[in-house]
Amino acid sequence: VTATGPGDRSGSVRSRWQNAQLALLLEVTGTPKPGNVDRHRDHDDLLFEQFVAGAVGAAPALARAPAPSVGTCFERAVAGMSAQRGGNTQFGALLAVVPLLYAAHRGERGRLDPGAARAVVDATTVADAVAFYRAFEHVDVAVDDPPEGMEDLDVRRGGDAVPAVHERGLTFAGLMEQSAPADGVAAELVSGCPRTFRTADRIVEGLGSVTDCAARAYLEALAAEVDTFVRTKHDRETAEEVRRRAAAAAEGAEDPGTLAAEFVERGINPGTTADIVAGGLFVALERGLEV
Amino acid sequence: VTATGPGDRSGSVRSRWQNAQLALLLEVTGTPKPGNVDRHRDHDDLLFEQFVAGAVGAAPALARAPAPSVGTCFERAVAGMSAQRGGNTQFGALLAVVPLLYAAHRGERGRLDPGAARAVVDATTVADAVAFYRAFEHVDVAVDDPPEGMEDLDVRRGGDAVPAVHERGLTFAGLMEQSAPADGVAAELVSGCPRTFRTADRIVEGLGSVTDCAARAYLEALAAEVDTFVRTKHDRETAEEVRRRAAAAAEGAEDPGTLAAEFVERGINPGTTADIVAGGLFVALERGLEV
C-alpha cells in the first residue's frame, strides 16, 4: 500500500527521543557529504545500513531520557548503537545529541536554546565522566594520545581509567574542557554548542528536502572550520585542505560528488562535522522542523 | 568520530520492536526496487526521508507490543507513522509487520514461525477490526471499491464503518479473509505468511549487505506473483506486465535500474511486494540476521 495523499498527523507528534533518533537517521541520509557514509555512499567496511541499525540500537537508551543521568544515557546509547557489524557508527553523533536531548527535557517543547545545553553540561558529575569512559568499552573510537601527564586518563583505557577519574574528581564537564582543543564536539559542549545552533538555523532556513538542507549545512560547516577528526586521524595540513576544498564546493567551484569520491578514496572522513550536523538536526526538529 | 573497528556488541541485543522498526528502515533502504522509493530514488511527492520519519513515528506503538491488542498497536503505529509530510509511507508495511511482531512475542526469541503468525490473526476480535478501520482516518490509503453488498464496510469510511463492523461481528481475521482476494498482505495474514517466510529465507541465504539481499528478494517476489496494489491502482494487464518484467530483471535480461526509472515515470509502484519484504526482513532479523 502506498501514498495517495498527505497524512493528517492527527494525534501524533514526535517525542524528544524520537527527534533524537530521527536526527541520527537524517544526518546519515543527507547526500553528498564529502568523505562520510551517506545514502549514496557505503564505505568498504562501513555501510549505510549499519548507521541505520546504530540509530535503532540507540533508541531504548534515548527513550529513557531524562533518566538516568546524561552520562549513563550516553553509555547505554553507545552500547545499543554498537549492536551492528560496522563498528563505531555514531559515537560522536550521540555525544553531540544526548546532552541536547537532556537540555530539551529541561524546558517546554520547542524552546531548546544554548543556555539549556550549557546548563546540562555544567551540571554533570564524576559519575557522568565514568560512564563516558565506559562507553569506550563498547566500540573502538579513533582518538589522539592524551596530553603529557594525563596518560592515566586516556579514554581508550575505558573502565581501567575509572580509578584515576575518581581520584582527580573529574566531571564530564571537566573532561570535555580537557578534550575541547582536540575534539570539535567537546568544544561545542563546553560552549553552548554555537556551531550546532548555527547549523540548525541553516537547516531550518534551507529550501528543499530536510536532508538536502542538512547536506548543504554539512558542507558549509566543513568549510567554516577544520574537522578535528580529520586532524586527529591525518594531520593539520590535510584538515586545512579539506576545509579549503569544502569551501570551494560550497561556492560551486568544485563538484561535491567528485570531492566525496576523492575523500573516500584517500580515507578522509570528516566525522566531527557530521556529528555537529546531527546535533543541528535535533535542534531543528525540536524547534518544529517538518520532514 | 568514525569507525576504527567492529563493535563488541557487549550487553546489547535488539529487542523485538527494534527489529520491527529496523525492518521498516531496511526495506526502504534496499535498492534498486523498481517502482518504489528507495535510498537512491525519491518520488516527486514522497521522499526517502519521509519513510525514515514514518519508521521513527511508528516506534512508540511498536515498543508497547504485545500490549494493547494487535489492532490498537497497528492503529497507533499508523498514527505515529503519519507524522510526516509524505502521507502514507508504511500503512501496508505495518500491516505486514505488526501481526508478526505479536507472533514473535508469543514465543522464545528467534523462534518465529508461520504457526505463530496464523495464531495471532486467528485470535483477533471485533475490537481489532474496529482499530483497523480507525487507522484509515490517519492517512489516505489507495484501496479498491468493496464488493457489492459490502458498501457499509468500505475501509475508506474509517470510524463511520464501526457500527457496521459491530453489527456484523466482523473480526480482524474475518476482515482479512474478505480482503485477501484483493490485497496481497491480507492474503498473507490469513495463510501463515508463506511469501513472507520465503522472503526471509532468501534474505538470510543471500550474499552481500542485508539491503542488497532485500532488494534481490523484492525482485524475486515481484517476479513470482502479481502485485495487488498495482492491480488495484492500474489494472490486471499492468500488474502482469510488471511481474513479467521483474522476472526478466531477476534473470538479468533487463536492467533493474532502467526498469525502476520506467516504473516511476509511469506511476507504477508495487507497494504490496515491498510490504511483504518488510515482513520478511522482520522475520530474518528475529531469526538472528546480523546487519
Side-chain angles (χ1 to χ4, degrees):
Chain A
V1 184
T2 313
T4 60
D8 66 358
R9 278 163 274 175
S10 65
S12 195
V13 173
R14 276 186 303 275
S15 61
R16 294 169 176 92
W17 80 261
Q18 288 175 285
N19 278 340
Q21 185 189 39
L22 185 54
L24 298 179
L25 289 164
L26 295 177
E27 189 287 308
V28 72
T29 297
T31 186
K33 229 168 40 213
N36 288 308
V37 170
D38 66 33
R39 68 168 153 161
H40 288 173
R41 282 172 193 82
D42 287 327
H43 291 180
D44 284 345
D45 53 355
L46 189 60
L47 308 179
F48 178 79
E49 67 190 38
Q50 291 160 344
F51 282 80
V52 170
V56 171
L62 300 175
R64 280 191 290 269
S69 69
V70 62
T72 302
C73 175
F74 173 73
E75 191 243 323
R76 290 183 186 172
V78 168
M81 171 275 282
S82 69
Q84 37 74 29
R85 294 182 295 181
N88 176 19
T89 49
Q90 286 126 327
F91 188 97
L94 287 166
L95 185 60
V97 168
V98 168
L100 289 166
L101 172 60
Y102 275 65
H105 275 290
R106 289 173 94 97
E108 284 169 53
R109 282 317 290 278
R111 290 299 191 92
L112 177 56
D113 64 26
R118 186 67 201 259
V120 164
V121 176
D122 284 347
T124 56
T125 64
V126 173
D128 292 312
V130 166
F132 180 78
Y133 275 88
R134 293 204 190 282
F136 281 85
E137 298 187 354
H138 300 295
V139 74
D140 287 333
V141 179
V143 293
D144 243 342
D145 293 329
E148 221 179 288
M150 310 271 282
E151 290 79 6
D152 57 342
L153 288 173
D154 188 341
V155 288
R156 292 167 297 193
R157 298 183 67 214
D160 292 342
V162 168
V165 173
H166 279 294
E167 198 174 303
R168 295 181 185 233
L170 185 66
T171 66
F172 177 82
L175 182 58
M176 291 299 111
E177 285 286 359
Q178 284 181 11
S179 308
D183 176 30
V185 175
E188 281 291 283
L189 293 178
V190 297
S191 60
C193 304
R195 297 181 70 200
T196 304
F197 280 91
R198 207 177 309 138
T199 300
D201 289 341
R202 299 294 294 132
I203 293 169
V204 169
E205 293 159 4
L207 294 175
S209 74
V210 171
T211 49
D212 282 353
C213 294
R216 271 199 301 276
Y218 164 87
L219 208 54
E220 291 168 5
L222 191 58
E225 288 193 36
V226 299
D227 187 276
T228 51
F229 181 73
V230 174
R231 200 177 59 199
T232 297
K233 192 176 158 196
H234 301 269
D235 51 42
R236 186 170 296 274
E237 288 66 39
T238 307
E240 179 49 38
E241 181 207 337
V242 165
R243 194 204 59 71
R244 205 170 53 239
R245 296 189 61 191
E251 288 159 10
E254 186 153 10
D255 176 59
T258 311
L259 196 60
E262 182 191 320
F263 282 179
V264 169
E265 194 171 325
R266 291 169 61 189
I268 295 172
N269 42 339
T272 301
T273 306
D275 300 339
I276 289 170
V277 171
L281 277 161
F282 175 70
V283 172
L285 291 168
E286 276 295 300
R287 290 177 167 183
L289 178 69
E290 288 193 276
V291 178
Chain B
V1 182
T2 311
T4 60
D8 66 0
R9 278 164 274 175
S10 64
S12 196
V13 173
R14 275 186 304 273
S15 61
R16 294 169 177 91
W17 79 262
Q18 288 176 285
N19 278 340
Q21 186 189 39
L22 184 55
L24 298 179
L25 289 164
L26 295 177
E27 189 287 309
V28 72
T29 298
T31 187
K33 230 168 38 215
N36 287 308
V37 169
D38 65 33
R39 69 167 152 161
H40 288 173
R41 279 171 196 82
D42 286 327
H43 290 180
D44 284 344
D45 54 356
L46 189 61
L47 307 179
F48 177 80
E49 67 190 38
Q50 291 161 344
F51 282 79
V52 170
V56 170
L62 300 175
R64 280 191 291 268
S69 69
V70 62
T72 303
C73 174
F74 173 73
E75 191 244 321
R76 291 183 185 172
V78 168
M81 170 273 283
S82 68
Q84 37 73 30
R85 294 182 296 181
N88 176 19
T89 49
Q90 286 126 326
F91 187 98
L94 286 165
L95 185 58
V97 167
V98 168
L100 290 166
L101 172 61
Y102 276 65
H105 275 291
R106 289 174 95 97
E108 285 169 52
R109 282 317 291 277
R111 290 302 191 91
L112 178 55
D113 65 25
R118 186 67 201 259
V120 164
V121 176
D122 284 349
T124 56
T125 64
V126 173
D128 292 311
V130 166
F132 180 77
Y133 275 88
R134 293 206 191 282
F136 282 85
E137 299 187 353
H138 300 295
V139 73
D140 287 335
V141 180
V143 294
D144 243 341
D145 292 329
E148 221 179 288
M150 310 271 281
E151 290 77 8
D152 57 343
L153 289 174
D154 188 341
V155 288
R156 292 166 296 192
R157 299 183 67 216
D160 292 342
V162 167
V165 173
H166 280 294
E167 199 175 303
R168 296 182 184 232
L170 185 66
T171 65
F172 177 82
L175 183 58
M176 292 298 111
E177 285 286 359
Q178 285 180 13
S179 309
D183 175 28
V185 175
E188 281 291 283
L189 293 178
V190 296
S191 61
C193 305
R195 298 180 70 199
T196 305
F197 280 91
R198 206 177 310 138
T199 300
D201 289 341
R202 299 293 294 133
I203 293 169
V204 169
E205 292 158 5
L207 295 175
S209 75
V210 171
T211 50
D212 282 353
C213 294
R216 272 199 299 277
Y218 165 87
L219 208 54
E220 291 169 4
L222 191 59
E225 289 193 35
V226 300
D227 187 276
T228 52
F229 181 73
V230 174
R231 201 177 59 199
T232 296
K233 192 176 159 198
H234 302 269
D235 51 40
R236 186 170 296 275
E237 290 65 41
T238 307
E240 178 49 38
E241 182 208 335
V242 165
R243 192 204 61 71
R244 205 171 53 241
R245 296 188 62 191
E251 288 160 8
E254 188 155 5
D255 176 58
T258 311
L259 196 61
E262 182 191 322
F263 282 179
V264 170
E265 194 170 325
R266 290 168 63 190
I268 295 172
N269 42 338
T272 302
T273 306
D275 300 339
I276 290 170
V277 171
L281 278 161
F282 175 69
V283 171
L285 292 168
E286 276 296 299
R287 290 178 168 182
L289 178 69
E290 289 192 276
V291 179

